[in-house]
Amino acid sequence: MPRKVVLLLAGRHLLQAAAALRWPAGLVARWGWSADAAHSASMLALAAVSRRWRAAALANAAVAAAWARAARPRAGASPSPGS
């Protein structure tokens, strides 16, 4: 995978993690969940069209799906104050 793409994705992960630590509920939690779900879906699409990147894309999709599942807001959970 091109180095610039890897660095960009790593930067997004770091910013998302920092924001989630600061604001663990509300808009930030929804944004983080959505970003991870979209990332997982895009990696599945890449795996479908690129034999060269298939293994890496599938591994990345699985990790992103796990993060999305872990970060998904729970039904009935109330947002924290200030979110």
Side-chain angles (χ1 to χ4, degrees), residues 1-74:
M1 191 171 281
R3 182 174 163 78
K4 288 181 181 181
V5 172
V6 171
L7 291 174
L8 180 67
L9 290 173
R12 186 207 43 103
H13 278 289
L14 290 174
L15 288 172
Q16 181 180 340
L21 284 173
R22 176 65 178 96
W23 301 285
L27 178 63
V28 172
R30 287 190 304 276
W31 176 85
W33 174 80
S34 299
D36 287 328
H39 182 77
S40 181
S42 70
M43 291 297 100
L44 290 174
L46 177 62
V49 299
S50 175
R51 176 174 234 139
R52 178 180 180 193
W53 297 111
R54 184 164 295 143
L58 288 173
N60 206 306
V63 171
W67 279 113
R69 176 66 179 105
R72 186 173 183 197
R74 306 296 185 261

